[in-house]
Amino acid sequence: MDLKQRLRALEAASGRRTLPDSGTTAVSAAHAAPHLPAVRAAIPAASGRSQPAADLLATGAERALAQRLGAVHMAPGLLFREVELAAAHRHGGQVLGEVCSIGEQALGVALPPPASGWLFLDTETTGLAGGTGTLVFLFGAVQVDASGFRLRQWLLTRFGGEAAMLDAIRQAFGEVAMIVSFNGKSFDLPLLRTRMRLHARALEERHLVHLDLLHPARSAFGARWPDVRLQTAEQRLCDYRRDDDLPGSEAPLAFTRWLRHGEADGLVRVMQHHRDDVLSLVSLSVALAEAYRDPQRLGADEGGIVRRLNRRGYRVREGQRQLAFSP
Amino acid sequence: MDPRESARLTPDDPALALADALVQRYPDRITARIVQPARSADFRPLPDWLDPALRQALGGRGITQLYSHQAEALALSRAGHHVVVVTPTASGKSLCYHLPVLAAVRARGAKALYLFPTKALAQDQVAELNELNREAALGVRAFTFDGDTPGDARQAVRLKGDVVVSNPDMLHQGILPHHTKWAQFFENLQFVVIDEMHSYRGIFGSHVANVMRRLRRIAAFYGSHPQFILCSATLANPAELAEGLIGAPVMAVERSGAPSGARHLLLWNPPVVNPDLGIRASNRSQTTRIARRAIAAGLKTIVFANSRLMVEVLTKYLKDAFERDIQTRAKVSAYRGGYLPDERRRTERALRADGLDCVVTTSALELGVDIGSLDVCILNGYPGSIAATWQRLGRAGRRGRTALGVLVASSDALDQYLVRNPAFFRDAPVEHARIHPDQLLILMEHLRCAAFELPFRQGEAFGPGPVDEYLAYLAESGVLHLEADRWHWMAEGYPANAVSLRSVADGNFLVVDHSNDRKEVIAEVDYSAAAMTLYEGAIYLVQARPYQVERLDWTGRKAFVRATRVDYYTDAIDYTRLRILDAFDTRVDGGSTCARGEVHLLRRVPGFKKIKYYSHENVGYGNISLPDHEMHTSSLWWQIDPRVLEQTFERRAQALDGFLGAAHALHLVAALRSMAERQDLGRAVGDGNGEWFATVGADSRGSARRADGARFDPDRSGDDFVPTVFLYDNFPGGAGMSEPLYGQAAEVVQGAWQLVLECPCRQGCPACIGPILAAEEKQAASPKQAVIRVLELLGARAWT
Ligand SMILES: [Zn+2]
């Protein structure tokens, strides 16, 4: 009896539920790839860069994926897509440019000026459990600085691309004074630190302000909404609705199918979903700041907001139509 | 020295006086008196390299020199060896690791990980380290890290702890899968301390050995190669166990230099109250009687019972006895798991401050926990291993006075065997603690965990050699992905959470109480035991409280039970057939063969018996319809040449009785030597081809059946009658228990023979050959004689 048969027999005898066999994994063909005309159009001929040498080492499937996404091979196993966005770009009820005027003390955090660089970031991972076996296979961010708005995404097509991705993230962190996330303090950042440590790198973040939108959102709406997830917030505050969105929980499967079967459709949809996530971070910052100024208009919990601001050392003056707070 | 003589020399030794009085009054109950003479200390100077602050800390606690075993352990560890120290209770073993660790922390910022099997022991050690710390402001920070550590304190432990005190389960699920958060700790990890090493044996030990492989692998990733210091109770094979656990050569320190007062151990067998049936008085009444005498003599006493229920019963008996007695007003208290921490602390303080005369406890007080000095220790029943027996007895003992221990045997066969064989307590240890880290299922579980923690390189070793073949299997199951030369984890989830170190695989059954419409999980049952204990209609006991299984959800792994008040218990009928697949080693000795190898096991549980309490009468049957359970496992077996059997026995049915009884006795002795729980080492009698198997029926008669369940009459079968006794690992794939017994087979047979021969019963009784009656009423020879003959054919010899 070979090892495989032996293990299957032992696992059956011990009551262990065996994982599905590789050959029998159901493949869902229901999801067609979305079209990305807006994005395609926004790429000025691959950002005017010369095609990197990494492309020469790519497999046919990787090259096809890069083309579908409008991305380039930054390193073997790492795709990079960059889109310049206009300040007037509308995402839901907000336009991106509004984020530059949310105020220095918005949401009870002292914000560095936008020109010093803000990074609205998000990750897609192979799982939510955390721990060293969870991989960040997609990192993306809207970067705001003096030169405008750029949406950048780094996607792994192989494990081997990770070191290059981490270096790109380190560089992006080095270019800004603030990062903005949704639940990044407990999820994305610890995970990035873990990945960096596994690759003998360190994430330099001491110079950064970290605005984690989950916490101000929870203070303002925790008592009002059934849950405070990003998609709930973007629907209720930004009036943004996604159509044909890939649920975030299916992202790990999409990456797995790409690795095992070379299926690209799922990854294309993950990229789209993830792009919406980071854009929503910008719109949400604008909307939340507005809710903090004028809780009643947006149905926010004024008591929760005041408590948060007090906790963070702000004196809040009430009695006017809008909240005004100063450190 | 004759114990009597020492009594005369030290007339002011009340425990010795009590021992003498008991021996005089109950000579027929005391099967042996074992005397360990007082031993003076063997001191060594503190080593030169110990820095002044450490000397000061030791001095503050009255320590100016070391015991020889401490000095030896320090020297070996200093020389870079992994060390295991085997020492009795209260011999200052913790200094064997505290000193090297504290010195390294102070000299070079080393970090150390301490592992204890329980949280309570971990807390004690942190308290002890902190005391040392305070004596000389050593500046060493020791913290516990376990399931009780609050979330906001964890970060501080990871970053600031010099000594982190945890348990293997936490290391497995909480630390290793998050090793990057511990990067600083692992970079400086120079010592790993494993105390109570003897508790890591069998399945648990095999898991822990794999956790150590993972630990060493992660440490190596951060450039560390920590040294191990292990401590153990007395075993026959401490160095072997230590090497198996850590996967590297280990030096053993086995001679204690600590002083000890004289210790007298009485082996006590309750008197026979029904000579015909061989029934003895309960050990409970005997224990109470001895405890009352000890307390009345003003001796501080600890009583160990093997169940929480028995703790309560004994406490009540003793309280009743003393509360009526206004003159003594002795204070008795119970102490066990399940009590609130405050209550336990109160009892501990009362014991230390001499505010209590007697404490009745379970294993909760076996180790650690400072309770001051006691005079008398009474064990109500054998605790399951000789190592644990000595650890419990070690709770009694004061400077310059005799400590008295009494082991009161229950009617259990193993208890009866032990009290008749004082050599187990007098001579060199016979208990071999076994582990089998390469047990396939266990290994696979930990390969998953290890791959999650860090990708495997192709050709990388885990344990003895490369594991690519296993990793390829995991890749095929979609768990790993091979890219370039690395096996990457690619599944969702967190594999450590699916692996419990205390069982062989997942698939455990939950026992759910749905009395009163609430659903509460009251127990967890291993998959392999579920069919035998959780069938519909079964009476399942939790702390002696009966519950009836109403519904078994086999696929959902749940049994729904309801509290009941029936006066019977249930016993599953077990049709287990074994087929020999492959003999790895065979030894032929005269007309008998002993072999070890791989077997196929098929267990069918066709029904169950209802048996009335006390009268043991059979009051009904029930059917069970469960899938057959099949597995491959390792086994040891004995066979006898059919021609020799024909010459020895008039009828084959008699030979079969002999085999069934021999299996019972062999099983007991083998379990004792391999420190296995008896249910983890299975026994069976059959023909070796799975054609027929033999069991002892509800009527206590031996009988054989064919595979289809039909009766098999050995005297009417052909020439192919080759009865076989199997002792097998009751786990899929084997668990490394039966295989090493092959090397001790002669001792096991000899021990079984002695057990049966020396039992005072005439025809054979449950304590020696199991509940078996002669196949025929008017049989010339008793089953006991048949068993003795079988064992002699297997090689047992009268002592010469
Ligand atoms: Zn007997």
Side-chain angles (χ1 to χ4, degrees):
Chain A
M1 189 156 46
D2 71 0
L3 180 73
K4 181 177 159 187
Q5 285 173 303
R6 199 178 159 79
L7 275 166
R8 288 213 185 279
L10 282 180
E11 287 177 347
S14 68
R16 174 177 247 285
R17 285 147 211 178
T18 332
L19 292 153
D21 192 84
S22 54
T24 61
T25 310
V27 175
S28 154
H31 302 301
H35 299 289
L36 295 166
V39 176
R40 287 253 170 85
I43 301 172
S47 311
R49 291 157 198 258
S50 60
Q51 198 74 334
D55 191 57
L56 300 173
L57 299 167
T59 63
E62 284 172 330
R63 264 191 289 253
L65 176 64
Q67 199 167 11
R68 265 179 87 178
L69 292 172
V72 296
H73 271 97
M74 194 179 201
L78 179 64
L79 291 185
F80 173 63
R81 178 166 83 174
E82 183 174 53
V83 184
E84 309 254 355
L85 298 164
H89 182 94
R90 177 164 292 279
H91 183 79
Q94 288 75 23
V95 294
L96 297 185
E98 290 177 85
V99 81
C100 298
S101 47
I102 59 174
E104 284 167 39
Q105 306 293 334
L107 310 171
V109 176
L111 309 181
S116 61
W118 294 0
L119 199 63
F120 296 80
L121 65 91
D122 187 37
T123 61
E124 295 297 336
T125 65
T126 54
L128 299 175
T132 50
T134 305
L135 176 79
V136 176
F137 69 86
L138 171 57
F139 176 88
V142 171
Q143 187 166 333
V144 183
D145 53 30
S147 64
F149 295 81
R150 277 180 297 164
L151 170 71
R152 295 192 288 174
Q153 288 169 296
W154 290 265
L155 172 70
L156 294 185
T157 57
R158 300 181 220 162
F159 287 94
E162 193 184 6
M165 176 201 261
L166 295 176
D167 285 337
I169 296 171
R170 274 153 46 87
Q171 196 183 341
F173 272 48
E175 290 166 3
V176 298
M178 174 167 80
I179 54 174
V180 185
S181 70
F182 196 85
N183 196 25
K185 282 189 176 164
S186 2
F187 186 75
D188 307 69
L189 267 290
L191 209 51
L192 286 173
R193 286 182 206 117
T194 290
R195 301 314 303 180
M196 294 280 176
R197 194 61 198 72
L198 283 170
H199 286 267
R201 285 160 168 78
L203 189 61
E204 191 51 65
E205 48 186 318
R206 263 170 302 189
H207 65 289
L208 293 173
V209 174
H210 184 170
L211 172 59
D212 183 341
L213 297 174
L214 172 64
H215 304 289
R218 201 178 264 157
S219 300
F221 297 102
R224 299 284 158 94
W225 296 348
D227 63 68
V228 188
R229 292 180 307 139
L230 177 60
Q231 297 211 1
T232 310
E234 72 182 15
Q235 276 170 26
R236 289 180 182 249
L237 291 182
C238 311
D239 199 25
Y240 184 72
R241 284 181 202 277
R242 308 184 184 205
D243 23 83
D244 192 35
D245 182 56
L246 177 98
S249 58
E250 286 181 24
L253 190 62
F255 183 65
T256 303
R257 288 198 176 145
W258 160 257
L259 282 181
R260 295 179 68 186
H261 310 297
E263 283 180 35
D265 292 358
L267 276 191
V268 173
R269 300 183 72 224
V270 169
M271 285 287 276
Q272 173 69 15
H273 163 86
H274 179 255
R275 170 187 177 276
D276 286 341
D277 277 356
V278 282
L279 286 172
S280 283
L281 291 180
V282 183
S283 292
L284 185 58
S285 303
V286 175
L288 265 182
E290 179 57 27
Y292 268 61
R293 266 193 305 277
D294 191 354
Q296 279 167 20
R297 193 170 68 79
L298 285 157
D301 172 6
E302 187 167 346
I305 290 175
V306 169
R307 277 194 298 279
R308 169 177 161 88
L309 293 172
N310 287 337
R311 226 174 21 244
R312 301 185 60 86
Y314 287 85
R315 281 178 299 125
V316 184
R317 275 185 288 127
E318 288 180 79
Q320 289 164 307
R321 198 183 66 80
Q322 295 187 337
L323 283 182
F325 49 95
S326 54
Chain B
M1 186 192 325
D2 175 41
R4 299 295 161 127
E5 214 156 324
S6 67
R8 258 176 263 124
L9 290 175
T10 52
D12 198 20
D13 194 343
L16 182 61
L18 176 62
D20 287 343
L22 289 173
V23 169
Q24 206 154 25
R25 174 92 168 70
Y26 303 103
D28 49 340
R29 300 184 192 182
I30 294 166
T31 60
R33 177 183 196 166
I34 294 153
V35 179
Q36 290 184 342
R39 216 175 33 215
S40 53
D42 182 358
F43 285 118
R44 301 294 149 84
L46 293 172
D48 303 336
W49 49 264
L50 220 55
D51 73 71
L54 273 175
R55 285 167 189 273
Q56 192 194 328
L58 290 174
R61 304 192 63 203
I63 300 167
T64 53
Q65 47 192 346
L66 295 178
Y67 299 133
S68 60
H69 63 281
Q70 294 169 331
E72 211 181 318
L74 258 61
L76 286 170
S77 165
R78 181 85 174 164
H81 297 285
H82 303 299
V83 187
V84 59
V85 187
V86 182
T87 54
T89 316
S91 59
K93 66 171 174 184
S94 53
L95 282 188
C96 297
Y97 47 79
H98 286 335
L99 290 180
V101 165
L102 291 174
V105 170
R106 288 172 50 77
R108 42 182 202 273
K111 307 262 184 185
L113 176 65
Y114 284 20
L115 297 173
F116 291 88
T118 70
K119 288 188 229 166
L121 288 172
Q123 277 148 13
D124 284 353
Q125 284 310 316
V126 168
E128 187 175 327
L129 270 171
N130 285 338
E131 266 172 49
L132 270 175
N133 227 339
R134 273 195 297 275
E135 293 289 351
L138 297 177
V140 173
R141 289 157 301 191
F143 301 108
T144 53
F145 189 82
D146 54 39
D148 297 344
T149 309
D152 48 2
R154 295 188 170 202
Q155 174 82 347
V157 176
R158 288 193 286 255
L159 296 180
K160 298 196 184 123
D162 298 309
V163 180
V164 173
V165 185
S166 190
N167 55 65
D169 312 78
M170 194 66 187
L171 177 62
H172 154 62
Q173 290 186 327
I175 298 178
L176 291 174
H178 286 289
H179 61 85
T180 52
K181 292 183 180 166
W182 294 81
Q184 251 180 302
F185 182 77
F186 282 114
E187 279 166 355
N188 297 294
L189 182 63
Q190 294 184 18
F191 284 98
V192 177
V193 170
I194 301 181
D195 203 344
E196 308 299 338
M197 174 190 81
H198 57 279
S199 48
Y200 304 125
R201 58 180 198 260
I203 296 299
F204 186 30
S206 305
H207 275 293
V208 170
N210 278 290
V211 175
M212 291 305 120
R213 290 171 174 177
R214 285 161 53 197
L215 171 63
R216 296 183 76 190
R217 183 169 178 261
I218 294 303
F221 173 73
Y222 292 99
S224 298
H225 302 276
Q227 243 179 293
F228 284 75
I229 304 174
L230 307 99
C231 291
S232 174
T234 307
L235 293 173
N237 62 339
E240 184 192 28
L241 177 63
E243 292 180 351
L245 281 171
I246 72 163
V250 179
M251 305 287 276
V253 177
E254 297 194 58
R255 214 184 59 82
S256 168
S260 61
R263 186 179 303 281
H264 289 223
L265 168 61
L266 305 182
L267 302 184
W268 185 290
N269 208 359
V272 173
V273 291
N274 182 334
D276 289 337
L277 299 174
I279 294 175
R280 292 180 180 273
S282 77
N283 62 341
R284 187 181 58 222
S285 63
Q286 303 287 300
T287 296
T288 312
R289 177 183 305 227
I290 301 163
R292 283 175 62 177
R293 280 199 67 158
I295 298 165
L299 293 165
K300 227 165 125 186
T301 301
I302 183 165
V303 178
F304 281 99
N306 293 329
S307 74
R308 292 178 177 190
L309 179 69
M310 191 50 68
V311 167
E312 298 301 334
V313 170
L314 288 170
T315 307
K316 179 174 173 1
Y317 285 5
L318 288 171
K319 279 193 166 165
D320 286 353
F322 284 105
E323 263 159 27
R324 275 191 233 113
D325 189 340
I326 303 203
Q327 289 197 316
T328 57
R329 284 250 177 233
K331 289 199 186 65
V332 180
S333 184
Y335 181 107
R336 60 170 175 80
Y339 283 3
L340 294 174
D342 276 359
E343 203 174 344
R344 294 220 231 173
R345 297 297 97 77
R346 252 201 315 281
T347 308
E348 290 162 20
R349 275 198 303 275
L351 275 166
R352 284 194 298 265
D354 287 328
L356 266 183
D357 301 283
C358 176
V359 64
V360 186
T361 186
T362 55
S363 58
L365 274 184
E366 185 175 302
L367 308 164
V369 191
D370 180 14
I371 49 170
S373 305
L374 301 153
D375 302 297
V376 176
C377 172
I378 304 170
L379 308 184
N380 184 62
Y382 174 61
S385 78
I386 293 164
T389 305
W390 283 120
Q391 280 193 312
R392 290 180 182 192
L393 292 172
R395 278 311 204 162
R398 304 186 197 232
R399 283 282 159 85
R401 272 166 78 163
T402 300
L404 172 62
V406 186
L407 170 58
V408 185
S410 74
S411 57
D412 185 272
L414 196 51
D415 285 39
Q416 288 296 313
Y417 176 50
L418 283 162
V419 290
R420 289 202 300 269
N421 286 280
F424 284 119
F425 297 96
R426 205 180 268 147
D427 301 345
V430 299
E431 291 180 318
H432 289 76
R434 303 291 187 192
I435 55 170
H436 187 24
D438 296 323
Q439 206 278 354
L440 258 185
L441 285 172
I442 296 177
L443 178 65
M444 290 305 286
E445 303 275 26
H446 289 279
L447 282 175
R448 279 172 224 268
C449 298
F452 177 89
E453 285 151 13
L454 212 54
F456 274 92
R457 273 176 290 104
Q458 269 185 317
E460 182 180 339
F462 187 78
V467 284
D468 297 84
E469 202 186 348
Y470 307 100
L471 301 175
Y473 175 81
L474 291 177
E476 210 177 300
S477 326
V479 175
L480 300 184
H481 182 76
L482 178 64
E483 182 187 298
D485 66 339
R486 305 239 163 185
W487 300 93
H488 294 271
W489 180 261
M490 69 175 290
E492 282 187 72
Y494 190 85
N497 280 350
V499 182
S500 158
L501 300 188
R502 311 198 185 228
S503 72
V504 72
D506 61 0
N508 283 359
F509 280 69
L510 297 180
V511 181
V512 183
D513 176 15
H514 65 172
S515 319
N516 318 322
D517 292 324
R518 71 202 154 88
K519 287 191 176 165
E520 192 191 349
V521 174
I522 53 170
E524 208 171 311
V525 173
D526 216 59
Y527 177 85
S528 56
M532 297 295 290
T533 49
L534 295 179
Y535 45 88
E536 287 172 11
I539 300 300
Y540 186 79
L541 297 171
V542 178
Q543 298 210 28
R545 222 191 134 183
Y547 293 83
Q548 185 151 37
V549 178
E550 298 196 329
R551 195 162 64 78
L552 177 64
D553 175 0
W554 186 264
T555 45
R557 304 278 192 265
K558 282 194 187 77
F560 295 93
V561 304
R562 195 180 289 277
T564 178
R565 308 186 69 160
V566 296
D567 63 345
Y568 64 86
Y569 59 95
T570 53
D571 193 10
I573 300 165
D574 176 3
Y575 288 174
T576 296
R577 285 185 287 135
L578 274 79
R579 188 157 49 87
I580 298 167
L581 298 174
D582 195 1
F584 302 148
D585 279 304
T586 306
R587 202 165 39 222
V588 180
D589 175 18
S592 76
T593 306
C594 175
R596 66 181 183 95
E598 193 174 12
V599 296
H600 174 261
L601 175 147
L602 191 143
R603 173 174 295 140
R604 179 170 300 163
V605 187
F608 64 92
K609 301 169 277 193
K610 298 178 180 173
I611 297 164
K612 203 160 174 177
Y613 278 111
Y614 304 109
S615 72
H616 299 288
E617 119 198 52
N618 207 325
V619 293
Y621 288 90
N623 288 326
I624 303 175
S625 57
L626 284 177
D628 286 353
H629 181 57
E630 280 186 83
M631 67 181 182
H632 285 192
T633 185
S634 2
S635 181
L636 171 73
W637 64 85
W638 288 271
Q639 292 173 322
I640 298 174
D641 186 326
R643 282 163 307 182
V644 177
L645 272 188
E646 305 285 336
Q647 288 160 18
T648 314
F649 293 97
E650 261 173 59
R651 307 190 45 158
R652 288 174 174 178
Q654 290 169 14
L656 204 56
D657 283 353
F659 270 87
L660 285 165
H664 183 268
L666 289 166
H667 184 219
L668 280 179
V669 177
L672 170 73
R673 286 185 170 267
S674 60
M675 294 185 94
E677 301 292 332
R678 264 181 281 167
Q679 67 271 18
D680 295 347
L681 187 70
R683 71 164 193 268
V685 173
D687 76 333
N689 299 319
E691 294 284 320
W692 58 264
F693 60 93
T695 52
V696 179
D699 55 357
S700 296
R701 310 275 174 194
S703 69
R705 284 170 194 279
R706 297 229 177 246
D708 58 6
R711 288 266 178 180
F712 165 74
D713 183 347
D715 286 300
R716 288 173 192 213
S717 74
D719 294 334
D720 56 339
F721 184 64
V722 187
T724 310
V725 185
F726 295 93
L727 295 180
Y728 61 89
D729 293 355
N730 202 4
F731 291 106
M737 286 174 298
S738 62
E739 283 202 37
L741 282 170
Y742 179 74
Q744 300 175 271
E747 289 94 328
V748 172
V749 169
Q750 188 68 30
W753 177 80
Q754 199 186 343
L755 180 157
V756 177
L757 196 73
E758 290 176 359
C759 185
C761 66
R762 289 218 332 262
Q763 306 275 317
C765 71
C768 59
I769 65 168
I772 182 170
L773 298 176
E776 291 144 30
E777 297 287 348
K778 294 221 160 72
Q779 197 166 295
S782 71
K784 183 170 180 174
Q785 282 170 300
V787 173
I788 290 171
R789 273 194 227 156
V790 165
L791 290 168
E792 285 173 354
L793 290 176
L794 293 179
R797 303 279 181 274
W799 301 110
T800 50

